[in-house]
Amino acid sequence: MNGMSKYVRKNDIILLSCIAVLIFVSFGLRIHSMMNNGSTIEITVDGKVYGRYALEQDQRIPVEIDDETKNIVVIADGEAYMAEASCPDKLCIHQGRIESRSQSIVCLPNRVIVTVVDGEEPEIDSMTD
Amino acid sequence: MNEWHGKKLIKQLPLWGILVSLALILSFIESLIPFYFGIPGMKLGLCNAIVVILLYLSSAREALLINLCRIVLAGFLFGNAFGILYSFGGALLSFLCMWTVYRTGLFTITTVSIIGGLTHNIGQLCVASAVLENVNIFWYAPALMLAGAVTGAVIGVLATELIPRLRFLFIS
Ligand SMILES: [Zn+2]
């Protein structure tokens, strides 16, 4: 080597090291965001927020309206679905599983909406500039 | 002056034809390689080899011209309109960056090529982000930068070997 290789010399090593660090840091940011990107579901009843629940945590959420359980939302394996509903059409149960941001399940008769929202804003700006 | 220019042009024309065809072949090979990062239309950037070689042996203008011809032709032959758009984004950004690094005269061919591969993918990503109206796809940037740097390094080593051997083609 001693700085005289035909492929890389001293200047190149300096520049390429900086680039390597940049790539390394961007991977770090990516992994960091994936870990903190605790996507959340937001349940609203009649347009008002009923509650927010982390998708990471498996749970059964009864949606109670007037002291009566109208719907049961289940979170399993990072996905949410409507497990039970008192509505006559059961369309909400057939809407399946949601996991990606801004996907939603709507139970029109009970006026229950489940939407996937971001737990935290992803730090996209720090990487693009 | 004009006559000289005309003679030079006629002498260059067959070579340009060969270079565009060569670049097209590389584009075709590229279209056969499944290189999927979740973003439709993204390409590996093998054709940067032609750009790097022309940058060193001919001129920046010729490097850019031949690459743009290649993109339009390849787009119609093996791609689609989105493909052309992505390729233009990648080609223009990588050309500007490679040219800048080349002009400093401080770096080897390999480094110029690595810069080209890396910025090629970033350019494509910028276009994809604008087309899909989605900034979240910038999360692909780390993987794409790494892939671009690796491709660029391979092409750089290849170009380092080829450039002295191809010099005779460009001596007029
Ligand atoms: Zn329902």
Side-chain angles (χ1 to χ4, degrees):
Chain A
M1 276 287 275
N2 72 60
M4 286 308 287
S5 158
K6 127 170 103 152
Y7 302 120
V8 276
R9 304 200 183 100
K10 198 179 156 201
N11 289 334
D12 303 278
I13 290 169
I14 295 167
L15 182 64
L16 295 177
S17 306
C18 295
I19 290 168
V21 168
L22 183 80
I23 294 176
F24 190 75
V25 168
S26 68
F27 264 111
L29 273 174
R30 170 115 174 80
I31 290 161
H32 178 78
S33 86
M34 276 164 72
M35 289 194 307
N36 278 343
N37 206 7
S39 277
T40 305
I41 54 164
E42 187 177 83
I43 300 176
T44 61
V45 177
D46 227 354
K48 294 184 194 76
V49 177
Y50 180 85
R52 298 177 73 135
Y53 310 87
L55 273 175
E56 287 163 343
Q57 202 186 330
D58 289 2
Q59 54 193 310
R60 263 178 95 82
I61 306 148
V63 181
E64 287 170 14
I65 302 166
D66 303 327
D67 298 324
E68 205 180 326
T69 300
K70 297 277 189 177
N71 295 63
I72 296 176
V73 179
V74 170
I75 298 176
D77 305 322
E79 297 175 320
Y81 61 94
M82 193 71 82
E84 286 172 41
S86 65
C87 58
D89 57 14
K90 311 285 183 210
L91 282 176
C92 50
I93 295 175
H94 293 125
Q95 283 172 35
R97 292 160 171 263
I98 55 171
E99 50 160 356
S100 310
R101 192 147 54 103
S102 72
Q103 279 186 309
S104 58
I105 299 172
V106 183
C107 180
L108 212 52
N110 293 353
R111 305 179 64 87
V112 173
I113 300 177
V114 185
T115 313
V116 181
V117 293
D118 260 1
E120 282 178 29
E121 286 299 310
E123 301 153 342
I124 196 85
D125 290 330
S126 52
M127 222 183 61
T128 52
D129 48 29
Chain B
M1 187 70 186
N2 244 344
E3 196 189 338
W4 178 84
H5 207 83
K7 273 183 184 162
K8 187 169 183 275
L9 189 74
I10 286 168
K11 214 182 150 207
Q12 292 281 351
L13 219 49
L15 185 58
W16 287 352
I18 292 169
L19 290 168
V20 172
S21 338
L22 203 61
L24 271 177
I25 293 169
L26 289 180
S27 276
F28 178 62
I29 293 170
E30 203 171 62
S31 74
L32 297 178
I33 301 171
F35 179 73
Y36 188 67
F37 265 107
I39 306 166
M42 294 299 263
K43 283 282 175 279
L44 206 51
L46 291 179
C47 299
N48 266 356
I50 305 277
V51 182
V52 174
I53 289 168
L54 285 176
L55 203 55
Y56 278 87
L57 293 180
S58 182
S59 64
R61 198 166 42 158
E62 226 170 281
L64 185 63
L65 192 74
I66 284 174
N67 200 26
L68 295 185
C69 287
R70 190 268 309 172
I71 289 168
V72 173
L73 288 173
F76 284 118
L77 287 172
F78 342 104
N80 51 41
F82 273 147
I84 294 179
L85 214 60
Y86 285 132
S87 298
F88 268 124
L92 288 177
L93 187 68
S94 82
F95 174 76
L96 282 174
C97 296
M98 285 197 288
W99 191 45
T100 308
V101 173
Y102 163 78
R103 292 238 325 196
T104 62
L106 294 171
F107 304 101
T108 60
I109 299 167
T110 315
T111 300
V112 170
S113 176
I114 290 173
I115 297 292
L118 198 120
T119 51
H120 177 264
N121 286 356
I122 297 302
Q124 287 186 322
L125 199 57
C126 292
V127 174
S129 166
V131 169
L132 303 172
E133 293 181 24
N134 184 340
V135 285
N136 284 324
I137 63 166
F138 271 100
W139 287 123
Y140 290 103
L144 284 171
M145 284 197 288
L146 187 66
V150 172
T151 323
V154 173
I155 284 167
V157 169
L158 201 75
T160 310
E161 295 302 328
L162 281 173
I163 284 167
R165 289 171 173 83
L166 293 176
R167 184 155 279 142
F168 73 95
L169 283 173
F170 296 85
I171 292 166
S172 42

